[in-house]
Amino acid sequence: MSTRGESTRASSSTWGPEQRARQREVVRRHRQSDRRRLRSMATAIVGAGVMVTLVLGVVGLRVQQVRLSYRLDALRQSRAELEEANRRLRVEMATLKSLSRIEGKARSELGMVAPTRDQVRLAREFVAGGGGAAALDRRAVVAERAVPTAVGVR
């Protein structure tokens, strides 16, 4: 065995630092890549990317939901305020349209008084049997009915 050990030693001693460096360089150049390992790493990276995208999508949707919820609450509050203002304005409008209030304002601020009987004149159109345009139309209709159509003379 000693001869073998000596021969091994002798052969290793013949390999100098230059030859060892060359051998390492050859090993580096001829290293084959493991395709299965590369494929599994690529699959893992793609899977992690998909998971991160899904998580960010869910978080984004939740943030959007919260933002819309706040906006909806603000719109509901605004609507309630506007409905209350509308109700108050309707009450104020009804109060301002009140005939008794208008009559009181006319008497107190403008000095108006109720007219006497001789100050009131009615238009003929609105008086039964009056001589206005409406009364003339009614008389023409009554006259047409009275005249026979066979004669054709009015």
Side-chain angles (χ1 to χ4, degrees), residues 98-124:
S98 169
L99 294 179
S100 61
R101 188 198 70 80
I102 293 172
E103 185 179 351
K105 286 265 191 190
R107 288 178 193 261
S108 64
E109 292 179 11
L110 300 175
M112 295 182 160
V113 293
T116 60
R117 189 159 185 82
D118 59 331
Q119 291 176 327
V120 176
R121 293 200 178 158
L122 296 175
R124 287 185 274 176

Side-chain angles (χ1 to χ4, degrees), residues 33-43:
S33 60
D34 188 7
R35 294 195 186 275
R36 286 182 293 171
R37 187 174 54 129
L38 288 175
R39 191 178 308 136
S40 66
M41 285 176 46
T43 304

Side-chain angles (χ1 to χ4, degrees), residues 121-152:
R121 293 200 178 158
L122 296 175
R124 287 185 274 176
E125 286 99 20
F126 301 109
V127 177
L136 291 176
D137 288 341
R138 270 186 268 141
R139 287 181 192 157
V141 169
V142 171
E144 286 179 3
R145 288 184 190 161
V147 177
T149 55
V151 174

Side-chain angles (χ1 to χ4, degrees), residues 14-134:
T14 59
W15 286 59
E18 301 166 2
Q19 291 175 343
R20 285 188 199 143
R22 248 187 266 151
Q23 181 65 23
R24 286 184 196 137
E25 190 176 320
V26 169
V27 169
R28 279 188 206 150
R29 277 193 240 154
H30 293 289
R31 182 179 293 172
Q32 294 181 358
S33 60
D34 188 7
R35 294 195 186 275
R36 286 182 293 171
R37 187 174 54 129
L38 288 175
R39 191 178 308 136
S40 66
M41 285 176 46
T43 304
I45 289 173
V46 168
V50 168
M51 290 299 290
V52 167
T53 303
L54 288 175
V55 168
L56 289 177
V58 168
V59 169
L61 288 174
R62 184 67 179 150
V63 167
Q64 184 70 11
Q65 180 185 7
V66 169
R67 185 180 300 135
L68 288 175
S69 175
Y70 282 129
R71 185 171 178 208
L72 182 63
D73 288 341
L75 288 174
R76 283 182 179 157
Q77 182 179 2
S78 174
R79 179 181 177 193
E81 291 170 0
L82 289 173
E83 286 177 350
E84 177 64 24
N86 190 10
R87 187 191 62 76
R88 276 188 271 117
L89 288 173
R90 285 181 189 271
V91 169
E92 184 180 353
M93 184 176 70
T95 303
L96 292 175
K97 278 185 171 181
S98 169
L99 294 179
S100 61
R101 188 198 70 80
I102 293 172
E103 185 179 351
K105 286 265 191 190
R107 288 178 193 261
S108 64
E109 292 179 11
L110 300 175
M112 295 182 160
V113 293
T116 60
R117 189 159 185 82
D118 59 331
Q119 291 176 327
V120 176
R121 293 200 178 158
L122 296 175
R124 287 185 274 176
E125 286 99 20
F126 301 109
V127 177

